[in-house]
Amino acid sequence: MPTNFTVVPVEDTPLSEPDYDEHILKEEDKEEPDMVAGPYSGEETPRETSSLISTDHDDSIYGKNMALYEDEMDSTPMVSSLLNKLANYTNITQGVIEHEEAESEDGIQRVAVKGPQMGTFIGVFLPCMQNILGVILFLRLTWIVGTAGIMEALAVVFMCCSCTMLTAISMSAIATNGVVPAGGSYYMISRALGPEFGGAVGLCFYLGTTFAGSMYILGTMEIFLTYIMPTATVFNAEEPTGMQNNMRIYGTCCLAIMTLVVFVGVKYVNKLALIFLSCVVLSIMAIYAGVIQSAFKPSNFQICLLGNRTLQNSKFDKCLKTEVIDNVTHPTQLWKLFCEGDFNGNATCDEYFTHNNLTEIEAVPGLLSGVISDNMWGHYGQYRAVVEKKGQSSERVSDNTDKDISMPYVFNDIATFFTLLVGIYFPSVTGIMAGSNRSGDLRDPQRSIPTGTILAIVTTSFIYISCVVLFGACIEGVVLRDKYGDSVKKTLVVATLAWPSSWVIVIGSFFSCCGAGLQSLTGAPRILQAIARDGIMPFLQVFGHSKANGEPTWALLLTAAICEIGILIASLDAVAPILSMFFLMCYLFVNLACAVQTLLRTPNWRPRFKFYHWSLSFLGMSLSLSLMFVSSWYYALVVILIAGCIYKYIEYRGAEKEWGDGIRGLSLNAARYALIKLEEAPPHTKNWRPQLLVLLKLDSDLGVKHPRLLSFTSQLKAGKGLTIVCSVLEGTYMARGADAKLSEQNIKAAMAKEKTKGFCHVVVSSNQRDGFSHLIQSAGLGGMKHNAVLVAWPANWKQSESSLSWKNFIETVRETTEAHQALLVAKNIDTFPTNQDRLAEGTIDVWWIVHDGGLLMLLPFLLRQHKVWRKCKMRIFTVAQMDDNSIQMKKDLQMFLYHLRLDAKVEVVEMHAGDISAFTYEKTLVMEQRSQMLKQMQLSKTEREREPQLIHDRNTKSHAILNDKPTPTSDRVHMTWTKEKLISERNRQHREANMTVRDIFNMKPDQTNVRRMHTAVKLNEVVVNKSQGAQLVLLNMPGPPKNKGGDENYMEFLEVLTEGLERVLLVRGGGREVITIYS
C-alpha cells in the first residue's frame, strides 16, 4: 500500500546578521567528520550507525520554528534532513570492482568508486547464466543421460532445478527485505539467522566456492589433456594413475597462473568475463544447431562394435579384422590388438574376438532415427564393466575380466548408480548466488536480484531439460555412456553433435571452465574476507586484511591452498559431490532463514518480493537436506559435523554480535510458549530442582562482596535450571541509574569469572529491605520463577553499629517463608571452595532434624555432580530422643535412602534429656542483658541526637515570637525553654538511665529463651563432635520467632547452633516435597 507524503514549506524570517548567508555557506563547505562508534557501557544495545541519520544541525535553522523539539535534535533528526540523506544515499560497491584509492596531500585516503550502474540483464542474469552453465554440461551431462536414461536424468535435473528455484524464491524474499550490501548469501544468512549459523554456513559457502574452483580447473585440464593436446602428458595415460598424476601437475600449474592473475588485479578477470560468457553461449548455440542438422544429415562419427561391446577406435583406423590388399589378406591393427603370433602361422586370438563379428554404426544417428527409445531407461554398470549395446547380437564366452582389461574395450571407470549421478550433476545448477553476490554493483538490487535470478534458473533449466531429451534422441546410447569419448577417436561426446565443427564446443568449453575457475578464485576470498571482517571467528581475523587496492591477499592464498587439495584429488567425479554438499548446506539455510522470518512475522520482515510462502521455503529446505543424503550420506554427515563444530566454536569463542536475527526471534517465541505452558500447572516433584534467587551484597566500589557465593551457585546448579543474581542499591533510580548499570556490569563479570550461568538484575530502592522484598515477590517471569533464595550469613552482625543488616536478614527469612520458598543461608561463605578447587576427600554432612520437604537430601546429591565436590562422601545424621528406637530409626532411614537412590552413610545420634546447665543459663542471661542494653544505648543515642535540635528549634521559635507583632486573634499558647527546666530535664533522664541499668543487672532470663538456648548448645555439641572435620555441614534452619521483639535472640541462637563449624549451609524448606521415591 503506497504511502503519500505531503511536504509543507515553512517560511522563516532570515536572521538579521549580515553574515548569515556567508555563515551557512561556510558550514556547508566544511567536511563532515566520520562518525566513530564510541564505547558503550552496561547492557545498552548500541545504536546502529547509519548513513541515513545525522545528528548535525544548525541552531540558527531549527532555533525558531522547531524550538519545541530542540532537545531531541541530537538523537532524532528532522524529517527534511532524513529525506535529504535518503536522496543522496548510494550503496557503495564492495564487490569485485577494484577500488581505486588515491592519497591526498593531507594524507587522508579517499576511495573513488563509481556508482552502481548495472541492471538486471548485465548484473544478475548473465552472471548467473555463466555460473550455472559450465563444466558439467559439456563434460558429464551426456554420460549422465546415457547411464541414467532420459527419464531418470530428467528426474535428476528436475530435483536439482526445483531445489535451486525454491532457494531462489527464498533468497529473493530475503534480498528484497532491505538493502543487502555485497557479501551475498553470507550476509543474508548471517543477518537472518545470527552469527553462529551465519558463520557456519558462510564458511560452508566459502568452501563450496573454493572446491568449485578445483572442479573447474580439473575440468579445464581434462579438456586440455584429453581432447586438445593428448600428447602433452608427462606420465603415461595408459597407466592406472598416469592420467591422475598428469591432472595434478597441470592443475597445480593452472591454479598458480589463475591465482597470479587474480592477485595482479580483478579488473583483468572482469574484462575477460564477457569473452568467457560468449564462449558458453556459442557452445550452446552450436549444440542446438547440431541437433537441427542431425535431423537432415547424420554426422561423420562412426563407432565400432565387437559383438555388442564398444571398442576404443583411437587405437585403430578400420573396423575390420582383416583386409584384402592386392588379393592378399592382411591383418588389421584391430586384429593385432586381440591376437598374438603370426597371422599366417599359429596365431592365438581372444575367444570373444574369434566368435563375434565387427559392426560399425553411426555415433549420432540423428533426431529422427528413433534412438530415443533405446535411451529412455538407465544402463547402470559396475566398475570396469564393458560398455555394451543393448539388443545387439553377440555370442557369450567364458568370463575373463582380467584379460578383458587389456583389450581395447570401453570400460566404466566407476560403478554407477542413481544417487552418484545426483551428486555429480548438482554442481551444474549452482551459481544462483552470483546475482546476490553482486548486489553492491546493481542499480536496483531489490528489483534485479529476484527477476534476474529466477529468469536465469528458468532459462538454464530449459536448457538442461532440452539437452537431456535431445542428447537421448540424437546420440547412440553406448556413445553417451562413453565418458571420455574413446569410441569416437577421443572426441568430446557432446562435440560430436556440434555444428559446424566439434572444435567449437571443445574450445568454448575450455574457456568456459577457465572463466568459471577465475570467478571462483575471485569470489571465494571475498566471502572469507567478509566473514573475517565481521569478527565472529577470532582465528580468521588475519584473512580480513587486504592490499592497498582492496584485494584480500591472505584470503586468496588460503583459497589457493584449499583449492590445491581438490586438485590433488584429481577426479572431477570425486570433487563434484564434495562441493554439492557445501552448496546444499548453504541453500538449506537460505530456505530456513526465509521460513523462520515468515513464520515469526517480525515487524522488520517486509520483503518487496511477494511471491513466497513459508511452505515453499520448508519444501526447499527439505529437498536440500534430502539431496545431501541422496548424493552421499557420509559426505553429508561430514559437512554437518563441520558446520556444527563451527557453530559451537562461534557460540563459545566468537565475538558477540546482535544482528536482529531470526533465531533470536525464534528463541523469544519458543521461550514465550514454554513460559505459558509452565504456568499452566506447578512442576511435579520429579521435575523439581532449586531455581535460585541469589541476593548479593555490593561493596563501596559496587563490586561483588562475596564472589564465593557465585562459585557455590555454579557448583549447585551446574548450568541447569534458573539462576537470578540480584542486588539492591539504596536511593532513587534517577540519581543512581548509572550506578545500577555499573553494578550489573560488575556482577556479570563476576558471574562470567565464576562460570555462573543465569540472569542479573540490580534494582534501586529507598532501602534494602524493600528492595529485597520486591525481588523475592516479583523476580522471574510466568512459570519461570525462583523457588529458593540463597543469601550469605550477615557476618559481624554483633559488632555492627547499625542493626539493619541482621534485621533485613530476618525479614528475608520471614518473607521467603511466607512466599513458600526455600531458603539457603551460607555461613562463612568466603571459606567455601572455588570452582578451581578439587576436594580430594572429606564428607558432606547432613543433619536432618526436621523434615521440610527433603531439600536437605537433594542438595548434597546436586553438589556431588560438580567436580569440586565429586569425591566427597555423603553422611546423614538424625537425632533420636530418649523414647525413640534408634536402631529401628537407622534401618528405616537406610531403607528410605535406598528408595531415594541416594548413596549415603546413615548415623542416628542420641540426645539424652538433661538438666539445663549453668553455662546455658548464663549464656541466655548474657544474651538478654546484651539485647536490653543495646536497646537502651540505642534509645540514649537517639535522645542525645534529638536534644540539641530540640533546644535549637525551641529557641528559634521563642525569638520569632518576640520579633513578631502580637496577634489578638491568636489562640496559640507559646512556651519558653528556660535554663532551670533544661537542668531538671537532664536530671530526670539520668535517674531513668540509672534505674534502667540496675534493672538490667537484676533481670532474670525468659524461660522460653533458656530452653531454646539449651537446644542450640546441646545440638551444637553433637554436631561439632561428629562433623567438625566435614567439608560442608547442612543443617535445618529453625524459623524466626513470631514476635519481632525476639529477633536479636534468634540471631544469637543461630550463632550458637553453628559455632565451631567451618562451612555451614542452613536450609529452610519451602513447604513442599522436592524429592520422591517413585519413578
Side-chain angles (χ1 to χ4, degrees):
M1 178 177 178
T3 305
N4 298 323
F5 289 94
T6 304
V7 181
V8 181
V10 180
E11 297 182 358
D12 188 14
T13 306
L15 297 177
S16 58
E17 287 82 348
D19 57 344
Y20 169 73
D21 294 335
E22 183 180 355
H23 171 72
I24 295 298
L25 290 174
K26 288 181 179 179
E27 289 294 324
E28 290 178 351
D29 290 339
K30 288 181 181 180
E31 182 180 351
E32 294 182 3
D34 294 334
M35 296 177 64
V36 180
Y40 60 94
S41 61
E43 285 304 301
E44 296 176 314
T45 303
R47 298 189 62 163
E48 187 173 343
T49 58
S50 173
S51 60
L52 306 181
I53 297 178
S54 174
T55 59
D56 298 337
H57 64 276
D58 192 349
D59 292 338
S60 63
I61 297 176
Y62 299 133
K64 289 190 175 183
N65 292 329
M66 297 300 169
L68 183 61
Y69 300 96
E70 61 185 2
D71 292 338
E72 286 81 15
M73 292 298 178
D74 291 333
S75 58
T76 54
M78 292 295 298
V79 173
S80 58
S81 174
L82 176 63
L83 294 176
N84 184 44
K85 293 289 183 182
L86 281 169
N88 296 328
Y89 175 72
T90 57
N91 188 5
I92 296 177
T93 307
Q94 299 174 357
V96 296
I97 296 182
E98 185 172 19
H99 295 278
E100 300 292 341
E101 293 193 354
E103 188 168 335
S104 62
E105 295 179 358
D106 56 0
I108 300 175
Q109 289 186 345
R110 292 184 176 85
V111 182
V113 183
K114 295 182 180 180
Q117 296 293 329
M118 288 191 292
T120 303
F121 185 75
I122 299 295
V124 181
F125 181 77
L126 291 183
C128 286
M129 288 281 291
Q130 182 180 0
N131 280 269
I132 295 173
L133 300 173
V135 59
I136 301 297
L137 172 65
F138 300 117
L139 294 182
R140 291 293 181 270
L141 188 59
T142 53
W143 174 71
I144 291 173
V145 174
T147 304
I150 294 175
M151 299 304 295
E152 292 184 31
L154 286 175
V156 172
V157 173
F158 178 77
M159 283 193 302
C160 297
C161 291
S162 298
C163 179
T164 55
M165 176 60 77
L166 293 171
T167 304
I169 293 173
S170 299
M171 183 190 71
S172 299
I174 299 173
T176 58
N177 187 51
V179 177
V180 178
S185 60
Y186 162 69
Y187 182 90
M188 290 188 296
I189 296 172
S190 61
R191 269 56 180 179
L193 292 179
E196 293 87 0
F197 281 109
V201 181
L203 274 185
C204 287
F205 186 54
Y206 162 74
L207 292 173
T209 308
T210 304
F211 276 103
S214 301
M215 185 186 71
Y216 292 131
I217 292 174
L218 288 174
T220 303
M221 291 301 99
E222 183 176 315
I223 294 170
F224 178 75
L225 294 174
T226 307
Y227 307 114
I228 297 178
M229 290 189 67
T231 57
T233 56
V234 177
F235 295 90
N236 185 6
E238 299 296 330
E239 296 178 359
T241 59
M243 192 62 183
Q244 291 182 343
N245 292 329
N246 290 326
M247 298 276 281
R248 293 186 180 105
I249 293 175
Y250 279 94
T252 303
C253 296
C254 181
L255 174 63
I257 295 171
M258 289 185 176
T259 304
L260 185 62
V261 171
V262 175
F263 179 78
V264 170
V266 182
K267 57 185 177 182
Y268 301 109
V269 179
N270 293 332
K271 290 178 180 179
L272 294 172
L274 187 60
I275 298 175
F276 297 143
L277 181 61
S278 301
C279 294
V280 175
V281 174
L282 288 175
S283 299
I284 294 174
M285 291 177 63
I287 292 174
Y288 285 113
V291 170
I292 295 173
Q293 186 204 30
S294 69
F296 307 100
K297 180 183 176 183
S299 68
N300 298 324
F301 290 96
Q302 303 288 324
I303 57 174
C304 185
L305 300 177
L306 177 61
N308 62 352
R309 297 181 179 181
T310 311
L311 299 177
Q312 301 180 19
N313 60 4
S314 58
K315 299 181 179 181
F316 56 89
D317 53 356
K318 295 180 181 179
C319 187
L320 298 171
K321 292 183 179 181
T322 58
E323 59 180 345
V324 178
I325 302 176
D326 296 332
N327 295 324
V328 178
T329 304
H330 296 277
T332 61
Q333 293 177 338
L334 182 59
W335 185 91
K336 295 177 182 179
L337 293 173
F338 283 92
C339 299
E340 296 178 356
D342 187 10
F343 176 73
N344 296 318
N346 296 323
T348 304
C349 293
D350 179 72
E351 185 180 2
Y352 189 87
F353 179 77
T354 304
H355 291 82
N356 287 276
N357 297 323
L358 292 170
T359 309
E360 193 172 25
I361 61 175
E362 294 179 352
V364 185
L367 187 63
L368 304 178
S369 63
V371 73
I372 187 173
S373 59
D374 297 332
N375 296 330
M376 192 63 67
W377 304 106
H379 300 83
Y380 299 104
Q382 298 297 320
Y383 173 58
R384 288 187 174 179
V386 180
V387 176
E388 299 178 345
K389 178 176 173 56
K390 186 179 180 181
Q392 185 76 14
S393 61
S394 66
E395 185 174 341
R396 292 292 175 185
V397 295
S398 59
D399 192 10
N400 192 352
T401 306
D402 294 335
K403 187 177 180 181
D404 290 342
I405 294 299
S406 61
M407 299 302 172
Y409 296 123
V410 177
F411 297 97
N412 288 331
D413 62 335
I414 56 174
T416 55
F417 42 90
F418 179 79
T419 57
L420 172 73
L421 302 183
V422 175
I424 294 176
Y425 173 77
F426 188 82
S428 66
V429 296
T430 59
I432 63 173
M433 300 291 184
S436 62
N437 289 341
R438 293 168 176 252
S439 57
D441 306 329
L442 300 174
R443 187 183 301 114
D444 185 4
Q446 297 193 5
R447 174 178 166 272
S448 298
I449 290 177
T451 306
T453 304
I454 293 176
L455 280 179
I457 292 176
V458 170
T459 305
T460 53
S461 299
F462 171 77
I463 291 174
Y464 279 123
I465 291 173
S466 61
C467 284
V468 167
V469 176
L470 294 176
F471 289 164
C474 296
I475 303 176
E476 182 61 48
V478 291
V479 179
L480 290 175
R481 296 197 295 279
D482 182 6
K483 183 184 293 185
Y484 301 107
D486 292 324
S487 61
V488 284
K489 297 186 181 298
K490 284 287 184 180
T491 303
L492 186 63
V493 174
V494 68
T496 60
L497 193 62
W499 181 88
S501 171
S502 61
W503 284 102
V504 175
I505 290 184
V506 172
I507 301 300
S509 60
F510 176 80
F511 284 110
S512 171
C513 293
C514 284
L518 282 172
Q519 293 289 345
S520 298
L521 290 177
T522 303
R526 282 167 173 76
I527 299 172
L528 182 62
Q529 185 184 41
I531 298 172
R533 286 183 173 177
D534 269 343
I536 58 177
M537 280 177 277
F539 73 92
L540 288 180
Q541 288 185 354
V542 65
F543 300 107
H545 303 301
S546 57
K547 293 193 302 183
N549 62 353
E551 294 301 319
T553 307
W554 292 106
L556 176 61
L557 293 177
L558 179 64
T559 301
I562 298 175
C563 195
E564 176 65 17
I565 296 174
I567 290 173
L568 292 178
I569 296 175
S571 173
L572 189 149
D573 299 328
V575 173
I578 296 176
L579 66 99
S580 295
M581 295 299 112
F582 288 120
F583 278 116
L584 280 168
M585 177 70 77
C586 180
Y587 296 166
L588 184 150
F589 279 99
V590 169
N591 286 293
L592 176 62
C594 181
V596 167
Q597 297 280 24
T598 306
L599 289 176
L600 290 179
R601 298 180 181 177
T602 52
N604 192 53
W605 180 246
R606 303 184 300 274
R608 291 188 178 277
F609 181 79
K610 301 299 181 183
F611 305 100
Y612 70 94
H613 193 265
W614 65 266
S615 59
L616 294 178
S617 299
F618 266 113
L619 182 60
M621 183 177 66
S622 304
L623 190 55
S624 300
L625 186 63
S626 302
L627 286 175
M628 286 178 66
F629 283 93
V630 164
S631 302
S632 176
W633 64 269
Y634 45 89
Y635 278 160
L637 291 178
V638 170
V639 171
I640 292 173
L641 180 63
I642 292 173
C645 292
I646 297 170
Y647 178 94
K648 298 305 291 185
Y649 174 81
I650 297 174
E651 185 179 21
Y652 285 107
R653 295 293 303 275
E656 293 183 2
K657 299 287 183 180
E658 175 51 57
W659 290 330
D661 51 88
I663 294 299
R664 172 89 37 138
L666 187 64
S667 300
L668 287 173
N669 271 14
R672 179 188 62 84
Y673 175 79
L675 287 173
I676 292 174
K677 294 291 289 183
L678 280 175
E679 205 171 18
E680 292 179 357
H684 193 271
T685 303
K686 291 185 289 186
N687 296 326
W688 195 96
R689 67 166 58 245
Q691 317 288 1
L692 288 182
L693 173 68
V694 184
L695 301 181
L696 286 182
K697 291 290 185 68
L698 302 178
D699 56 22
S700 57
D701 297 329
L702 301 180
V704 177
K705 194 172 184 179
H706 301 294
R708 297 287 178 89
L709 198 63
L710 295 175
S711 303
F712 183 70
T713 302
S714 64
Q715 294 160 19
L716 182 62
K717 299 288 292 178
K720 306 295 191 300
L722 175 69
T723 301
I724 307 174
V725 181
C726 297
S727 188
V728 176
L729 297 180
E730 290 188 357
T732 62
Y733 188 74
M734 295 296 294
R736 305 204 64 183
D739 289 344
K741 289 183 172 58
L742 179 59
S743 302
E744 283 194 9
Q745 279 188 347
N746 294 338
I747 293 175
K748 285 186 176 180
M751 291 173 66
K753 183 179 179 181
E754 301 298 337
K755 299 180 180 179
T756 305
K757 296 181 180 179
F759 307 100
C760 169
H761 191 44
V762 176
V763 298
V764 182
S765 180
S766 57
N767 56 72
Q768 285 200 344
R769 175 181 171 184
D770 291 344
F772 285 133
S773 177
H774 295 155
L775 288 171
I776 291 172
Q777 296 176 56
S778 60
L781 181 64
M784 200 66 174
K785 294 180 71 70
H786 62 279
N787 54 26
V789 178
L790 174 62
V791 295
W793 174 263
N796 302 323
W797 63 273
K798 290 183 179 181
Q799 289 77 22
S800 177
E801 293 183 0
S802 173
S803 61
L804 285 177
S805 62
W806 59 267
K807 285 185 176 180
N808 289 341
F809 172 76
I810 295 178
E811 287 302 315
T812 301
V813 176
R814 286 195 174 101
E815 285 169 357
T816 53
T817 304
E818 184 65 26
H820 301 289
Q821 296 173 3
L823 178 66
L824 311 179
V825 181
K827 191 176 180 187
N828 302 327
I829 184 62
D830 293 329
T831 65
F832 276 54
T834 64
N835 289 327
Q836 287 72 38
D837 295 336
R838 300 292 181 271
L839 302 179
E841 58 183 8
T843 60
I844 301 176
D845 289 357
V846 178
W847 285 86
W848 192 18
I849 312 300
V850 295
H851 178 65
D852 54 359
L855 184 58
L856 271 173
M857 260 85 71
L858 185 62
L859 291 177
F861 170 77
L862 296 175
L863 280 175
R864 292 181 63 210
Q865 306 302 309
H866 196 274
K867 50 192 173 183
V868 173
W869 304 90
R870 189 165 294 159
K871 294 184 179 180
C872 293
K873 304 297 182 181
M874 181 177 170
R875 296 193 301 179
I876 295 183
F877 297 89
T878 189
V879 177
Q881 302 298 327
M882 286 297 297
D883 53 350
D884 293 331
N885 186 345
S886 58
I887 298 177
Q888 187 61 37
M889 281 181 64
K890 184 174 182 179
K891 291 182 178 179
D892 294 341
L893 183 54
Q894 287 175 337
M895 183 58 65
F896 181 60
L897 292 177
Y898 174 78
H899 288 304
L900 289 176
R901 290 89 64 201
L902 294 176
D903 184 15
K905 182 181 178 182
V906 175
E907 189 169 342
V908 178
V909 179
E910 296 181 354
M911 285 185 62
H912 300 287
D915 295 333
I916 296 174
S917 65
F919 171 76
T920 303
Y921 190 88
E922 183 69 22
K923 199 170 184 67
T924 309
L925 181 60
V926 171
M927 176 189 72
E928 293 189 354
Q929 287 176 348
R930 178 181 177 277
S931 176
Q932 192 66 26
M933 189 175 294
L934 287 174
K935 289 180 182 178
Q936 187 61 36
M937 289 173 62
Q938 186 70 22
L939 180 61
S940 300
K941 182 181 177 182
T942 305
E943 290 294 335
R944 286 196 304 271
E945 291 174 351
R946 288 180 56 194
E947 184 178 291
Q949 184 66 31
L950 185 62
I951 296 172
H952 177 268
D953 292 345
R954 292 185 178 181
N955 286 336
T956 304
K957 192 177 293 184
S958 64
H959 285 297
I961 293 170
L962 293 174
N963 293 333
D964 292 345
K965 293 182 179 180
T967 305
T969 58
S970 176
D971 295 333
R972 295 181 182 177
V973 179
H974 298 283
M975 298 182 65
T976 59
W977 188 264
T978 62
K979 184 177 181 180
E980 293 78 6
K981 189 168 184 177
L982 174 61
I983 294 172
S984 63
E985 182 70 18
R986 282 180 175 175
N987 292 334
R988 184 184 66 80
Q989 292 179 2
H990 185 66
R991 287 193 302 271
E992 290 179 358
N994 290 336
M995 291 174 60
T996 306
V997 171
R998 286 196 301 270
D999 292 342
I1000 289 174
F1001 286 103
N1002 293 330
M1003 66 183 295
K1004 293 183 179 180
D1006 182 71
Q1007 292 302 312
T1008 304
N1009 289 338
V1010 172
R1011 291 197 307 272
R1012 290 178 177 174
M1013 182 63 74
H1014 175 70
T1015 303
V1017 171
K1018 296 292 288 183
L1019 190 56
N1020 176 257
E1021 290 177 359
V1022 175
V1023 173
V1024 170
N1025 183 38
K1026 296 286 186 180
S1027 303
Q1028 191 170 18
Q1031 298 289 0
L1032 180 64
V1033 178
L1034 282 79
L1035 271 169
N1036 281 116
M1037 181 178 180
K1042 296 181 180 179
N1043 181 14
K1044 292 189 177 181
D1047 284 355
E1048 190 174 6
N1049 299 336
Y1050 173 70
M1051 296 293 294
E1052 190 71 38
F1053 295 147
L1054 295 181
E1055 280 283 7
V1056 173
L1057 182 62
T1058 58
E1059 189 176 1
L1061 300 174
E1062 183 182 4
R1063 302 187 191 115
V1064 183
L1065 185 65
L1066 296 172
V1067 180
R1068 184 162 176 79
R1072 63 160 294 172
E1073 291 291 335
V1074 301
I1075 193 167
T1076 178
I1077 65 175
Y1078 299 104
S1079 60

